[in-house]
Amino acid sequence: MAKKNKKAASASEGPDRRVDNATTPAPTAPLADSSAPQKGNKSHPVAQPSSSPLVICRNKHWKYISSFHGPWLQLPLEVLETIANANYYMPLPRPVDPAVFYDLLKIRHLVDDATDLAVRAANGVTSASMSNSLASGGAPHHMQALGLGLMNGAGMKLSPERRFRLREQATQKLSRAYHIDEIASSVATMQSTSTLENVAGLVLQRAPDNPDANYVHFFHEKIPSRQLAECTELSALDPVISQRHNDCEPLRTRAIVRMFKNDFEGAAQDLTRALGEYRLHHSALHRPSPENMQLEKRQARRRETPSLDERDQPKSTEVQLLFQRAGCYLTLACGHVEGSFPKPTTVQNDQSGKNNQNSSPTLSLVEISAAEKEPTKRELENRKAVRMYAKRALRDYMEYLKNLHYSPNLPIEMSDEFTRQVNQASHRRRYQSQGRNSSQDSSGLNGGNSTHRVYSLHELFSATPPADLPAYPSTDIVTASAAGSVETVMEFVTYHPLLTDVLHSLLLCHALIQTSAKEHQRHAYMVARLARLADGYPIFQASRSPARADWIEVLRRAENWVELTASWESLCAPAPLLTAMSPGGNLSAATASANALAITGGPSTTETEEQRKDRLRHQAIIEALEDERVNDESSFKAAILARQRRAEAEHANAPLANSNGNSNAANSPSLSSQKRWAVDDGREYPILTERAEAVARWVREAPAGSGVGGGRRKKKPAAAKRPPSAPTSNNSNESFEPTEVD
């Protein structure tokens, strides 16, 4: 009997038994009692659970997961699909990037289907039996999967082979979801039943070479919290990459793991290879220019928003790869900053032998000669690397921005129309029920009478930006809003969950490239203009941006060398919500927006106080796990506490924001700011990251001359012909134009 039990325990661990034993603390691992110790475990200290007691799935460590939280996780699929199609058929600039929107829709379909299959396999009964149980008031699927609701014995039992096939199908769907977007899929699976965490491991017990199961199990394997680098082997993804060498997505995943291991050069190589594979096999989808040509034709004859075929839906894979590679290059640039400066030379003065037995040795700086002040070859190479990698990062960020659009004078009726469609979809009413309003607004929507201008975001940061943009910063916007004047047009930008981080990373790149102070100031004001407009309504909620926190710290440590006229928090304050008058004379956008937010964005009205606190704590833990500033247990606890306090403060202010009436709620800063990143998030625990420290030091100390001089320093006398009031760059021939970067 002992041999039989030992054999069963060995089989229950599956093919990844060695990895589970090596990475999971014994007291908290679910299979620890059934696994025998192995030789490789001797290097792991027994006291490991005390430092990292939490054991969670690997995908919970992924960065930027907080950027993908929002109502899209709870909205009914038919409502989400209706809004996605309405968003796609809106004139440019669309409210949300359609590639991301359709990816989220597909991920929801796949994860929901996988959940249904996994729960059926876990319960071991047919789908008809489960449906009858639910119809008769039985426990929901996820309750049954957790063992909290049992079937009453009715229905046909599934054979082991059938249960395996169901799990195999669920794994295939999960693998496809992770291929589409691993960050969004990680968020979706976290919100789903825990049955999904084990489904791939059960498939691997019978099919250890299944590429889908191996890929999904990589994300769902349990490891100690905040120890992804130590508990993850790159070789785990090699079988998936070798079996499906045309897929770029496993390369993207391996690159992200390399980043956790601080192998940024290897990550950049994997991402470059993934981009090549994607562009080779998806050349027709590389630039969806025919989409815009067909859009106007469809709008001219549409009265509804028909579903877009999946093969025609835009995809965000290339944008994901560009974003990740740009982050690698930016980190590499910051990593070479320290080697760009001479190390301070110190000498030790030992006074212990002089009548003072208690005096400690002191350190004093040695006088550096003029010859020693010249940069060494190593320092020059590091300075060159800083500039090279920063330019590469800027190139990828500019490519990212080509996919998003901005309008300085979008008619408010267009934004109002999208808000009405969202509100109607939330109430599950047909769009055609508003036939009178649709006919009245058709000319504006179809572009017949609309002359609003549209720019790609990368054009705003070019060497010659558009000249017809509204002045910013300007008090006119605040004054007009306060006076209650009715606006007819508004600034508008397409939202992407990573847009805020990209915009601020752009400024960090310019700091490393050492763009002139005047040019850098222009880019900073442009970033502030767009950041204050970024709004993930109706599917994304606000999230913290690591690049924004770093940029604020760089501004502080470099003493605002670009001479901004106000604090960054003030410049990025959310723009007021402008509204259009409906045919009945009401502020329809304000009312519809408030109603839609209450339906799609807020928690359930039946939520208890204890449930609300549990939900906020869970969300705080998830956000803290992907925070770059958190590097130990104390900062992890401080980050959770800071986020809980921020959420409690927002909850306390929410009734005040919703009790001001429709017109005041529309223009209330508190209503807008709840949908954006809280700027006081970092005040309750240390916010300085290595990246911010490196960029700030580069701005302060980068030497003039050698083609890499800082924008803060004056030029040599040879360039003294410039007007005194104009900020000077280090070298007139070194001015950086993003369009010329290779």
Side-chain angles (χ1 to χ4, degrees):
M1 180 65 68
K3 293 183 179 179
K4 183 177 180 181
N5 291 339
K6 183 176 181 181
K7 183 177 180 181
S10 176
S12 67
E13 294 171 6
D16 289 342
R17 177 182 55 188
R18 179 184 60 81
V19 178
D20 291 339
N21 290 338
T23 60
T24 306
T28 54
L31 301 178
D33 295 336
S34 63
S35 59
Q38 297 191 9
K39 296 180 180 179
N41 293 340
K42 294 182 180 180
S43 60
H44 294 273
V46 180
Q48 185 180 7
S50 61
S51 60
S52 181
L54 184 63
V55 180
I56 58 178
C57 293
R58 183 178 283 111
N59 63 356
K60 289 184 172 66
H61 295 79
W62 246 237
K63 294 182 179 181
Y64 302 103
I65 54 177
S66 66
S67 299
F68 286 83
H69 282 284
W72 72 275
L73 294 163
Q74 291 84 28
L75 281 173
L77 278 173
E78 60 272 17
V79 176
L80 190 64
E81 184 174 7
T82 301
I83 301 175
N85 291 323
N87 175 77
Y88 176 79
Y89 287 107
M90 290 298 295
L92 298 178
R94 299 184 181 96
V96 180
D97 180 26
V100 172
F101 213 143
Y102 279 120
D103 282 353
L104 297 184
L105 178 62
K106 285 180 281 193
I107 289 171
R108 271 290 309 276
H109 273 293
L110 292 168
V111 172
D112 287 1
D113 290 347
T115 301
D116 181 68
L117 293 168
V119 170
R120 285 169 54 193
N123 284 279
V125 295
T126 60
S127 58
S129 301
M130 296 188 70
S131 301
N132 294 336
S133 174
L134 291 175
S136 61
H141 290 193
H142 66 277
M143 298 291 285
Q144 296 171 7
L146 295 173
L148 302 178
L150 301 176
M151 302 296 296
N152 55 10
M156 182 182 299
K157 298 290 184 181
L158 294 176
S159 66
E161 180 66 22
R162 178 58 178 161
R163 295 173 70 178
F164 169 75
R165 294 304 175 191
L166 290 176
R167 293 190 175 107
E168 190 177 41
Q169 293 176 27
T171 303
Q172 291 173 354
K173 291 182 179 293
L174 289 176
S175 175
R176 187 182 168 198
Y178 279 111
H179 275 70
I180 294 173
D181 191 322
E182 56 196 276
I183 303 177
S185 297
S186 297
V187 177
T189 54
M190 290 178 206
Q191 304 292 326
S192 187
T193 173
S194 59
T195 308
L196 294 182
E197 296 179 359
N198 305 319
V199 64
L202 294 173
V203 173
L204 287 176
Q205 291 180 9
R206 291 186 54 180
D209 296 329
N210 187 309
D212 290 325
N214 276 301
Y215 193 53
V216 174
H217 182 66
F218 178 83
F219 290 101
H220 292 181
E221 185 181 15
K222 298 286 182 63
I223 63 173
S225 172
R226 305 199 63 78
Q227 295 187 25
L228 187 144
E230 299 86 348
C231 302
T232 304
E233 296 294 335
L234 294 174
S235 57
L237 290 169
D238 290 344
V240 182
I241 296 174
S242 61
Q243 287 177 283
R244 295 180 175 176
H245 55 275
N246 291 335
D247 289 354
C248 61
E249 293 82 5
L251 288 170
R252 176 195 63 200
T253 305
R254 188 171 70 178
I256 294 176
V257 176
R258 289 187 188 274
M259 292 185 224
F260 279 103
K261 293 178 174 288
N262 294 324
D263 180 15
F264 292 95
E265 291 185 356
Q269 293 175 2
D270 276 347
L271 292 167
T272 301
R273 177 182 166 189
L275 272 168
E277 292 288 346
Y278 180 82
R279 290 169 177 172
L280 177 64
H281 298 96
H282 302 81
S283 57
L285 300 175
H286 177 46
R287 281 286 178 265
S289 55
E291 167 208 344
N292 294 337
M293 298 173 59
Q294 297 175 1
L295 184 62
E296 294 182 0
K297 296 179 181 179
R298 292 177 177 178
Q299 285 179 336
R301 63 176 181 268
R302 75 175 177 90
R303 285 276 65 89
E304 292 187 1
T305 54
S307 298
L308 189 65
D309 191 87
E310 183 174 341
R311 62 184 179 184
D312 296 329
Q313 295 174 1
K315 297 177 175 60
S316 65
T317 305
E318 184 178 11
V319 172
Q320 298 171 36
L321 298 174
L322 288 170
F323 173 80
Q324 297 290 353
R325 190 174 70 170
C328 285
Y329 286 144
L330 180 55
T331 305
L332 286 170
C334 296
H336 284 83
V337 168
E338 184 178 359
S340 301
F341 304 104
K343 296 182 179 179
T345 305
T346 59
V347 63
Q348 180 172 315
N349 298 326
D350 191 357
Q351 301 175 351
S352 60
K354 299 180 180 179
N355 299 330
N356 188 358
Q357 299 294 333
N358 296 327
S359 64
S360 59
T362 60
L363 298 178
S364 61
L365 293 176
V366 175
E367 190 69 25
I368 301 176
S369 63
E372 292 175 335
K373 290 181 180 180
E374 292 296 325
T376 64
K377 181 179 179 181
R378 181 186 66 86
E379 292 168 3
L380 291 175
E381 289 177 350
N382 277 289
R383 294 174 191 176
K384 183 179 179 180
V386 169
R387 187 177 179 86
M388 176 189 69
Y389 283 123
K391 291 173 74 172
R392 290 182 180 179
L394 186 58
R395 173 201 60 192
D396 284 349
Y397 284 132
M398 296 292 283
E399 284 290 322
Y400 166 98
L401 293 177
K402 288 182 179 179
N403 298 274
L404 307 177
H405 299 88
Y406 160 86
S407 175
N409 61 340
L410 181 76
I412 297 179
E413 289 82 0
M414 292 187 179
S415 175
D416 189 49
E417 172 65 19
F418 179 70
T419 304
R420 280 197 295 268
Q421 293 188 47
V422 171
N423 196 36
Q424 292 161 7
S426 301
H427 287 287
R428 302 187 181 184
R429 294 198 298 260
R430 284 186 171 274
Y431 176 71
Q432 62 188 13
S433 64
Q434 298 289 332
R436 183 173 61 87
N437 291 344
S438 298
S439 301
Q440 203 160 3
D441 296 338
S442 62
S443 60
L445 286 176
N446 296 333
N449 299 329
S450 176
T451 58
H452 74 282
R453 300 177 299 278
V454 178
Y455 300 103
S456 176
L457 291 192
H458 84 285
E459 298 180 65
L460 305 181
F461 296 95
S462 63
T464 56
D468 56 350
L469 303 183
Y472 191 82
S474 173
T475 58
D476 294 341
I477 298 178
V478 179
T479 303
S481 176
S485 61
V486 178
E487 299 286 345
T488 59
V489 296
M490 61 187 298
E491 291 184 275
F492 199 82
V493 65
T494 302
Y495 184 83
H496 189 281
L498 302 173
L499 174 60
T500 303
D501 207 74
V502 168
L503 292 173
H504 289 84
S505 298
L506 206 72
L507 298 179
L508 298 177
C509 291
H510 278 292
L512 295 173
I513 294 170
Q514 296 180 319
T515 302
S516 66
K518 183 178 181 180
E519 188 74 0
H520 204 165
Q521 183 193 72
R522 178 175 70 84
H523 291 315
Y525 283 144
M526 191 65 69
V527 168
R529 176 203 300 271
L530 298 176
R532 68 194 295 268
L533 298 173
D535 190 347
Y537 171 84
I539 60 169
F540 290 111
Q541 69 182 34
S543 64
R544 195 190 71 85
S545 166
R548 173 170 174 167
D550 287 346
W551 169 248
I552 292 175
E553 186 65 16
V554 169
L555 278 177
R556 186 183 69 83
R557 288 178 168 258
E559 300 175 355
N560 189 20
W561 85 103
V562 292
E563 300 180 355
L564 300 177
T565 59
S567 68
W568 193 251
E569 291 85 350
S570 300
L571 291 172
C572 296
L577 297 177
L578 303 180
T579 59
M581 301 298 290
S582 68
N586 298 321
L587 293 174
S588 55
T591 306
S593 177
N595 292 339
L597 282 175
I599 294 170
T600 63
S604 173
T605 55
T606 60
E607 186 181 41
T608 65
E609 184 68 15
E610 183 177 357
Q611 290 173 337
R612 183 186 67 83
K613 291 183 177 180
D614 289 342
R615 174 176 57 83
L616 294 179
R617 176 171 175 78
H618 173 74
Q619 184 174 343
I621 292 175
I622 295 301
E623 292 180 2
L625 284 172
E626 60 99 23
D627 194 337
E628 293 181 352
R629 302 174 292 180
V630 177
N631 49 28
D632 54 24
E633 194 69 21
S634 60
S635 60
F636 179 65
K637 293 180 180 178
I640 295 176
L641 180 61
R643 284 170 167 80
Q644 286 181 301
R645 289 177 177 174
R646 181 191 66 188
E648 291 295 339
E650 292 181 354
H651 176 73
N653 294 330
L656 178 63
N658 294 330
S659 62
N660 294 331
N662 291 338
S663 59
N664 291 337
N667 295 311
S668 171
S670 60
L671 182 61
S672 303
S673 62
Q674 289 181 12
K675 300 173 63 181
R676 293 174 170 84
W677 180 69
V679 295
D680 59 345
D681 177 34
R683 296 178 183 175
E684 300 192 35
Y685 59 102
I687 65 173
L688 182 63
T689 63
E690 293 181 2
R691 180 172 67 176
E693 184 178 13
V695 176
R697 185 183 182 189
W698 181 261
V699 172
R700 294 193 315 264
E701 304 178 19
S706 304
V708 292
R712 298 181 65 199
R713 302 178 181 269
K714 295 181 180 180
K715 291 192 67 176
K716 296 181 179 180
K721 295 182 180 180
R722 285 180 177 268
S725 59
T728 59
S729 62
N730 180 59
N731 191 334
S732 59
N733 295 327
E734 288 289 328
S735 61
F736 177 72
E737 297 184 9
T739 55
E740 297 179 359
V741 179
D742 296 326

